[in-house]
Amino acid sequence: MEPPLAHARRGCIPWNGLLLAVPLITFWKLLTTVKPTIESVPINAAEGTDVLLLVHSVTGDLLGYSWYRGERVENNQIIASHRIDDSTSTTGLAHSGRETIYPNGSLLFQNVTQHDTGYYTLFMIKNDLQTESLAAQLRVYLDSTQGGSSGLSGGAIAGIVIGVLAGVALI
Ligand SMILES: *[C@@H]1O[C@H](CO)[C@@H](O)[C@H](O)[C@H]1NC(C)=O
Ligand SMILES: *[C@@H]1O[C@H](CO)[C@@H](O)[C@H](O)[C@H]1NC(C)=O
Protein backbone atom coordinates (compact mmCIF):
# COMPACT_ATOMS: atom_id res chain seq x y z
CA MET A 1 0.00 0.00 0.00
CA GLU A 2 1.30 3.44 -0.91
CA PRO A 3 1.16 6.11 1.75
CA PRO A 4 -1.09 9.05 0.85
CA LEU A 5 2.01 11.21 0.62
CA ALA A 6 3.15 9.29 -2.50
CA HIS A 7 0.01 10.35 -4.36
CA ALA A 8 0.55 13.92 -3.41
CA ARG A 9 4.15 13.80 -4.68
CA ARG A 10 3.23 12.29 -8.03
CA GLY A 11 1.15 15.34 -8.79
CA CYS A 12 4.23 17.52 -8.34
CA ILE A 13 6.39 16.08 -11.18
CA PRO A 14 7.09 19.01 -13.50
CA TRP A 15 5.49 18.60 -16.92
CA ASN A 16 8.56 19.67 -18.81
CA GLY A 17 10.42 16.80 -17.17
CA LEU A 18 7.92 14.30 -18.54
CA LEU A 19 7.95 15.81 -22.01
CA LEU A 20 11.71 15.50 -22.12
CA ALA A 21 11.49 11.83 -21.16
CA VAL A 22 9.21 10.82 -24.05
CA PRO A 23 11.66 11.28 -26.97
CA LEU A 24 14.38 9.61 -24.91
CA ILE A 25 12.20 6.55 -24.44
CA THR A 26 11.37 6.45 -28.16
CA PHE A 27 15.04 6.63 -29.01
CA TRP A 28 15.86 3.87 -26.54
CA LYS A 29 13.19 1.65 -28.09
CA LEU A 30 14.67 2.13 -31.56
CA LEU A 31 18.08 1.11 -30.31
CA THR A 32 16.80 -2.00 -28.61
CA THR A 33 14.45 -3.16 -31.38
CA VAL A 34 15.26 -6.81 -31.98
CA LYS A 35 15.56 -7.85 -35.60
CA PRO A 36 13.66 -10.97 -36.62
CA THR A 37 15.87 -13.99 -37.26
CA ILE A 38 15.35 -17.40 -38.80
CA GLU A 39 16.81 -20.54 -37.35
CA SER A 40 17.00 -23.81 -39.24
CA VAL A 41 16.28 -26.77 -36.96
CA PRO A 42 18.35 -28.81 -37.51
CA ILE A 43 21.08 -26.73 -39.19
CA ASN A 44 21.93 -29.63 -41.51
CA ALA A 45 19.22 -32.15 -42.18
CA ALA A 46 19.51 -35.71 -43.41
CA GLU A 47 17.52 -36.49 -46.50
CA GLY A 48 14.09 -37.84 -45.60
CA THR A 49 13.87 -36.01 -42.25
CA ASP A 50 11.92 -32.90 -41.29
CA VAL A 51 13.30 -29.37 -41.04
CA LEU A 52 11.70 -26.40 -39.34
CA LEU A 53 12.62 -22.86 -40.30
CA LEU A 54 11.85 -21.14 -37.00
CA VAL A 55 11.06 -17.45 -37.01
CA HIS A 56 12.21 -15.59 -33.90
CA SER A 57 11.64 -12.08 -32.58
CA VAL A 58 8.95 -10.83 -34.90
CA THR A 59 7.69 -7.69 -33.27
CA GLY A 60 4.81 -5.41 -34.07
CA ASP A 61 1.43 -6.15 -35.51
CA LEU A 62 1.59 -8.21 -38.66
CA LEU A 63 -0.99 -8.75 -41.38
CA GLY A 64 0.69 -11.92 -42.52
CA TYR A 65 3.64 -13.90 -43.81
CA SER A 66 4.65 -15.50 -47.09
CA TRP A 67 7.48 -17.92 -47.74
CA TYR A 68 9.25 -17.93 -51.10
CA ARG A 69 11.67 -20.38 -52.63
CA GLY A 70 14.95 -18.62 -53.39
CA GLU A 71 16.25 -15.28 -52.30
CA ARG A 72 13.70 -13.14 -54.08
CA VAL A 73 10.09 -12.29 -53.58
CA GLU A 74 8.49 -13.51 -56.81
CA ASN A 75 4.88 -14.54 -57.21
CA ASN A 76 5.66 -17.83 -58.93
CA GLN A 77 8.00 -18.80 -56.08
CA ILE A 78 5.44 -18.62 -53.25
CA ILE A 79 5.40 -21.75 -51.12
CA ALA A 80 2.72 -20.69 -48.65
CA SER A 81 1.17 -17.64 -47.03
CA HIS A 82 -0.56 -17.07 -43.74
CA ARG A 83 -3.03 -14.29 -42.93
CA ILE A 84 -3.16 -13.36 -39.28
CA ASP A 85 -6.58 -11.65 -39.17
CA ASP A 86 -8.63 -14.69 -40.15
CA SER A 87 -5.87 -17.24 -39.48
CA THR A 88 -5.97 -18.75 -42.95
CA SER A 89 -3.11 -20.34 -44.83
CA THR A 90 -2.84 -20.76 -48.57
CA THR A 91 -0.28 -22.61 -50.64
CA GLY A 92 1.44 -21.17 -53.69
CA LEU A 93 2.91 -22.33 -56.99
CA ALA A 94 6.19 -23.41 -55.39
CA HIS A 95 4.51 -25.61 -52.77
CA SER A 96 5.77 -29.18 -53.08
CA GLY A 97 3.12 -30.73 -50.83
CA ARG A 98 5.61 -31.16 -47.99
CA GLU A 99 5.64 -27.66 -46.49
CA THR A 100 3.43 -26.35 -43.70
CA ILE A 101 3.27 -22.72 -42.63
CA TYR A 102 2.42 -22.05 -38.98
CA PRO A 103 0.53 -19.06 -37.55
CA ASN A 104 3.81 -17.81 -36.01
CA GLY A 105 5.45 -17.73 -39.44
CA SER A 106 7.64 -20.81 -39.01
CA LEU A 107 7.78 -23.18 -41.98
CA LEU A 108 7.99 -26.95 -41.65
CA PHE A 109 9.48 -29.10 -44.42
CA GLN A 110 8.68 -32.77 -44.21
CA ASN A 111 10.71 -35.54 -45.84
CA VAL A 112 13.34 -33.18 -47.25
CA THR A 113 15.34 -34.06 -50.34
CA GLN A 114 18.68 -32.68 -51.48
CA HIS A 115 16.66 -30.72 -53.98
CA ASP A 116 15.30 -28.63 -51.10
CA THR A 117 18.78 -27.30 -50.30
CA GLY A 118 18.92 -23.59 -50.90
CA TYR A 119 17.62 -20.25 -49.79
CA TYR A 120 14.11 -19.46 -48.67
CA THR A 121 12.74 -15.98 -48.12
CA LEU A 122 10.24 -14.95 -45.51
CA PHE A 123 8.19 -11.88 -46.44
CA MET A 124 6.30 -10.10 -43.68
CA ILE A 125 3.64 -7.44 -44.08
CA LYS A 126 2.95 -5.25 -41.08
CA ASN A 127 -0.24 -3.44 -40.17
CA ASP A 128 1.26 -0.13 -41.26
CA LEU A 129 1.94 -1.79 -44.67
CA GLN A 130 5.68 -1.78 -44.11
CA THR A 131 7.25 -4.96 -45.38
CA GLU A 132 10.34 -6.83 -44.41
CA SER A 133 12.04 -9.83 -45.92
CA LEU A 134 14.55 -12.25 -44.49
CA ALA A 135 16.33 -15.12 -46.19
CA ALA A 136 17.40 -18.36 -44.61
CA GLN A 137 19.36 -21.30 -45.90
CA LEU A 138 18.25 -24.89 -45.73
CA ARG A 139 20.85 -27.64 -46.01
CA VAL A 140 20.10 -31.25 -46.72
CA TYR A 141 22.72 -33.97 -46.90
CA LEU A 142 22.39 -37.54 -48.04
CA ASP A 143 21.83 -40.01 -45.27
CA SER A 144 25.05 -41.90 -44.47
CA THR A 145 23.30 -45.19 -45.16
CA GLN A 146 22.70 -44.05 -48.73
CA GLY A 147 25.22 -41.34 -49.45
CA GLY A 148 28.52 -42.66 -48.14
CA SER A 149 31.35 -40.45 -46.97
CA SER A 150 30.79 -37.59 -49.38
CA GLY A 151 27.34 -37.04 -47.92
CA LEU A 152 28.75 -36.99 -44.42
CA SER A 153 31.40 -34.43 -45.18
CA GLY A 154 28.71 -32.24 -46.62
CA GLY A 155 26.81 -32.64 -43.40
CA ALA A 156 29.83 -31.72 -41.34
CA ILE A 157 29.97 -28.22 -42.71
CA ALA A 158 29.87 -26.10 -39.61
CA GLY A 159 28.70 -22.66 -38.98
CA ILE A 160 25.71 -20.51 -38.84
CA VAL A 161 23.55 -21.03 -41.85
CA ILE A 162 21.26 -18.15 -41.57
CA GLY A 163 21.84 -15.54 -44.18
CA VAL A 164 20.00 -12.45 -43.26
CA LEU A 165 18.87 -10.08 -45.92
CA ALA A 166 16.77 -7.49 -44.31
CA GLY A 167 15.07 -4.87 -46.31
CA VAL A 168 12.33 -2.51 -45.38
CA ALA A 169 10.27 -0.98 -48.12
CA LEU A 170 7.02 0.84 -48.34
CA ILE A 171 4.43 -0.66 -50.61
C1 LIG B 1 5.89 -21.86 -34.10
O1 LIG B 1 4.93 -22.87 -34.12
C2 LIG B 1 5.46 -24.18 -34.30
C3 LIG B 1 4.28 -25.12 -34.44
O2 LIG B 1 3.34 -24.92 -33.46
C4 LIG B 1 6.38 -24.53 -33.13
O3 LIG B 1 6.95 -25.80 -33.33
C5 LIG B 1 7.48 -23.48 -33.03
O4 LIG B 1 8.28 -23.71 -31.90
C6 LIG B 1 6.91 -22.08 -32.98
N1 LIG B 1 7.99 -21.12 -33.14
C7 LIG B 1 8.38 -20.32 -32.16
C8 LIG B 1 9.54 -19.41 -32.44
O5 LIG B 1 7.82 -20.31 -31.09
C1 LIG C 1 9.88 -39.21 -48.88
O1 LIG C 1 10.22 -38.87 -50.20
C2 LIG C 1 10.64 -39.97 -51.00
C3 LIG C 1 10.99 -39.44 -52.37
O2 LIG C 1 11.65 -38.23 -52.30
C4 LIG C 1 9.53 -40.99 -51.09
O3 LIG C 1 9.98 -42.13 -51.83
C5 LIG C 1 9.10 -41.42 -49.68
O4 LIG C 1 7.99 -42.28 -49.76
C6 LIG C 1 8.75 -40.20 -48.85
N1 LIG C 1 8.48 -40.62 -47.48
C7 LIG C 1 7.44 -40.19 -46.80
C8 LIG C 1 7.33 -40.66 -45.39
O5 LIG C 1 6.62 -39.40 -47.27
Side-chain angles (χ1 to χ4, degrees), residues 68-131:
Y68 293 79
R69 199 171 288 278
E71 288 178 86
R72 295 172 63 179
V73 172
E74 288 172 356
N75 279 342
N76 61 353
Q77 295 300 319
I78 295 184
I79 297 170
S81 303
H82 183 80
R83 273 180 65 152
I84 308 241
D85 57 352
D86 56 5
S87 199
T88 51
S89 299
T90 48
T91 55
L93 288 171
H95 191 265
S96 76
R98 294 175 292 112
E99 301 93 350
T100 308
I101 192 167
Y102 289 119
N104 60 21
S106 297
L107 186 69
L108 173 71
F109 291 79
Q110 287 175 293
N111 195 14
V112 290
T113 71
Q114 283 207 297
H115 218 71
D116 295 325
T117 294
Y119 281 95
Y120 292 86
T121 301
L122 171 67
F123 185 73
M124 293 170 272
I125 305 177
K126 301 182 180 174
N127 275 357
D128 57 8
L129 295 187
Q130 282 226 322
T131 64

Side-chain angles (χ1 to χ4, degrees), residues 52 54-56 102 104 106:
L52 189 60
L54 272 174
V55 181
H56 294 291
Y102 289 119
N104 60 21
S106 297

Side-chain angles (χ1 to χ4, degrees), residues 29-37 56-60 126 132:
K29 273 186 77 172
L30 277 174
L31 286 178
T32 56
T33 296
V34 186
K35 282 265 162 207
T37 56
H56 294 291
S57 310
V58 172
T59 51
K126 301 182 180 174
E132 187 160 355

